[in-house]
DNA sequence: CAACTGTGATAAAATATTTTTATATGAGCA
DNA sequence: TGCTCATATAAAAATATTTTATCACAGTTG
């Protein structure tokens, strides 16, 4: 069996047209016919129904079954190629979600710089869910990911590096400004300004709102944390944010959540379990795993 | 790139000897040399170190990396072939652990027989952990599995069909015979007769013993449930068994476990998530999912 | 309804790839 | 030094794939 034939079959499963597949790969149409025929002979089963009257091709059950595996095989092959190509440059493709990049990563950067590792990073900014997917496809080799629960995944190893509670932030003029802590249920009648950020903040908010039994009244949503903070400072609403991203200079008051189990913002280091790690990547992981000095 | 070359490479990664690989596949030795060379040229990287002095071959880092993917690709291909071959016979390879086969499956068998499904089963007996692995490799298409916690797996879909508590069984002469229920901590000084069965019973016992803070004193272990019961009946020790496998005729007394969360014996129906299901298999799943009449 | 169009199949020839045979090379070892 | 084990290489042979040219079929169109 031939990988090229599998590629043709895979394309045919999507395009459902021999001629189109031939053009896509810049080969003649009989090439595709013969490729499929070879597969059908080798597997001793019909993979496609050529319905000439409806001018359409359909996959048989076996064809669908086979296509499942073919898609996986081709994905794996692509991943292999990507990894090997990437290993040629002394670079690690490093995924960093914006919040972590802004508020957590700088604390690590100095140590990485000392070990001469920074210049080998090829940093990609994206949301945590996107990055998880990109780890799988090999677009990213190593990533810091934000989440509210520990990440478990069959293909991706992840270990928690750091965690911070989520907090409520309010304007200094807000009635709750002196309260120090609040239970989420107390906030049923408040207006919220929220972050449009990936899936972590919304997920944490849902995690709180569900047992509290109300849907927060969101008056404004922004992807930008400093915008969020200034909206809160001007008392347009109250905010919900990782403690990590709150600093004394922000002109907002942070309130602890008094609920039984307030959600935590977890930062994990993640990579493909089955990737054979380059010396560079290993050094990087070791450094990132070192606990931060308080 | 050629699947045959990948096969050769995969074998070479294990055998570490070109000549041996050639013999294994009944081809000449240069065939292997050229196959590896083709891969190295196509991937533009060295995959092997030919250390002539130590008469040994080593994989380079890239070679190891590549081998990871190759192993997956070849596994997937084999799975595809197995599934297609299996679909030719109108048979479903059905995995059934002994306990479930003896005590649960008979309740379902009549209904399956009514729908003419029994004759299409190719039943394999094995422990639940073995069967889970065989589901993955395609040796089994559908299985009933026993477990103490719900099964979650990236590749295998599993849904709980039935559950039964674990119980303590004692001889009618045993001091606890009239107790009706016991807390596991009360059993610290008892002798136990246990089942050698796969992983489910031992796992459940561990789950109980850990919080209770003692290791049960096991005086005898058997793979056979009826042996277990008669040992208990003769008061050689007390037993620990799924309620499913206990019947009034057994001459043993079943005691409920009074602990907060006594482990349950769960029976789940499991199959590969990405398998395209034959009509036969679908019918079978539908029938197995019907709840049992009480 | 005859010609036309889009789509896939087939035969034979042309090309490309893989495998073999025969032989070389290189390192350790007796 | 010569022998053995193990891999590499060149050239020829054997296979496999692709192309060109053409056919066949079912709709569609003028």
């Amino acid at each position: 069996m031939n990988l090229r034939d599998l590629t043709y079959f895979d394309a045919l499963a999507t395009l459902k047209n021999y001629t189109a597949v031939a053009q896509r790969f810049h080969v003649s149409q009989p090439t595709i016919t013969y490729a499929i025929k070879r597969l059908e002979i080798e597997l001793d089963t019909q993979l496609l129904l050529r319905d000439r009257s409806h001018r359409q091709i359909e996959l048989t059950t076996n064809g669908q079954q086979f296509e499942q595996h073919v898609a996986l095989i081709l994905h794996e092959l692509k991943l292999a190629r990507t990894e090997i190509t990437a290993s040629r440059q002394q670079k690690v493709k490093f995924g960093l979600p914006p919040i972590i990049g802004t508020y957590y990563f700088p604390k690590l950067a100095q140590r990485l710089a000392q070990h001469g590792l920074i210049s080998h990073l090829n940093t990609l900014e994206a949301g945590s869910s996107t990055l998880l997917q990109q780890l799988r496809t090999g677009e990213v080799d190593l990533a810091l990911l934000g989440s509210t629960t520990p990440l478990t995944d069959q293909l991706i190893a992840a270990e928690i590096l750091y965690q911070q509670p989520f907090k409520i932030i309010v304007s200094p003029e807000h009635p709750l400004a002196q309260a120090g802590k609040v239970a989420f249920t107390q906030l049923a009648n408040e207006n919220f300004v929220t972050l449009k950020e990936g899936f972590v903040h919304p997920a944490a908010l849902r995690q709180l709102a569900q047992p509290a039994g109300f849907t927060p009244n969101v008056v404004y949503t922004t992807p930008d944390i400093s915008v969020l903070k200034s909206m809160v400072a001007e008392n347009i609403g109250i905010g919900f944010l990782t403690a990590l991203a709150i600093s004394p200079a922000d002109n907002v008051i942070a309130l602890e959540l008094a609920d039984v189990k307030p959600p935590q913002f977890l930062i994990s280091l993640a990579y493909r379990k089955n990737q054979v790690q380059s010396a560079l990547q290993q050094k990087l992981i070791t450094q990132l795993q070192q606990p931060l000095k308080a």
Side-chain angles (χ1 to χ4, degrees), chain A:
Chain A
M1 194 177 295
N2 199 309
L3 276 166
R4 198 168 311 147
D5 292 352
L6 296 185
T7 313
Y8 295 155
F9 175 73
D10 183 58
L12 192 52
T14 336
L15 295 177
K16 305 219 193 272
N17 178 314
Y18 283 64
T19 314
V21 173
Q23 283 166 356
R24 158 90 87 87
F25 291 101
H26 308 294
V27 295
S28 70
Q29 166 265 312
T31 298
I32 310 302
T33 302
Y34 284 124
I36 301 303
K37 191 177 279 183
R38 277 193 293 272
L39 290 177
E40 294 192 324
I41 287 172
E42 180 160 358
L43 297 171
D44 190 19
T45 190
Q46 198 172 350
L47 297 171
L48 298 164
L49 293 170
R50 291 91 172 160
D51 183 343
R52 310 259 279 208
S53 60
H54 296 83
R55 303 200 152 201
Q56 253 278 285
I57 281 167
E58 285 304 321
L59 294 183
T60 61
T61 306
N62 275 340
Q64 290 170 41
Q65 201 155 294
F66 191 58
E67 167 55 13
Q68 292 266 348
H69 297 287
V70 169
L72 238 151
I73 287 172
L74 296 178
H75 170 260
E76 202 59 32
L77 191 67
K78 201 171 148 195
L79 188 53
R81 292 198 141 105
T82 310
E83 281 188 9
I84 287 180
T85 307
S87 78
R88 216 183 315 283
Q89 354 162 240
Q90 281 283 299
K91 289 278 188 178
V92 171
K93 283 171 285 176
F94 185 62
L96 203 54
I99 292 196
I100 298 178
T102 310
Y103 296 99
Y104 178 74
F105 187 68
K107 306 183 190 194
L108 295 169
Q110 205 197 356
R111 184 163 56 213
L112 296 185
Q114 276 167 8
H115 290 81
L117 292 169
I118 287 275
S119 57
H120 295 288
L121 292 184
N122 232 329
T123 305
L124 273 98
E125 287 226 336
S128 291
S129 54
T130 311
L131 287 174
L132 188 60
Q133 191 48 37
Q134 291 180 331
L135 273 171
R136 275 196 259 265
T137 62
E139 288 166 84
V140 167
D141 297 316
L142 195 62
L144 294 177
L145 301 180
S147 63
T148 60
T149 55
L151 298 165
T152 56
D153 190 287
Q154 201 136 72
L155 299 174
I156 307 297
E159 68 184 286
I160 295 169
L161 295 182
Y162 192 70
Q163 62 185 72
Q164 282 274 300
F166 284 92
K167 298 202 167 179
I168 296 293
I169 55 175
V170 300
S171 159
E173 280 110 66
H174 193 278
L176 285 169
Q178 306 305 322
K181 48 171 62 185
V182 277
F184 195 74
T185 41
Q186 289 178 256
L187 305 175
N189 298 315
E190 296 286 341
N191 292 328
F192 276 80
V193 182
T194 65
L195 209 53
K196 207 172 256 163
E197 176 54 42
F199 68 89
V200 182
H201 278 77
L205 198 55
R206 244 177 286 123
Q207 207 174 311
L208 273 168
Q210 208 185 17
F214 68 93
T215 311
N217 181 33
V218 174
V219 294
Y220 191 78
T221 302
T222 167
D224 186 319
I225 295 188
S226 52
V227 171
L228 175 82
K229 290 173 185 168
S230 51
M231 302 283 280
V232 169
E234 290 172 36
N235 214 352
I236 288 162
I238 69 175
F240 173 72
L241 196 59
T242 337
L244 181 68
I246 307 169
S247 87
D250 283 337
N251 196 29
V252 295
I253 309 291
L255 306 177
E256 250 177 70
L257 279 160
D259 295 66
V260 199
K261 233 188 122 208
Q264 298 273 320
F265 183 77
L266 307 179
I267 298 180
S268 305
L269 178 62
Y271 46 88
R272 277 186 297 288
K273 281 178 188 168
N274 70 352
Q275 180 175 35
V276 176
Q277 305 201 346
S278 65
L280 173 61
Q281 194 169 338
Q282 265 170 30
K283 248 193 270 176
L284 201 51
I285 289 178
T286 312
Q287 285 308 318
L288 290 171
Q289 284 171 340
Q290 302 300 317
L292 283 179
K293 283 169 296 188

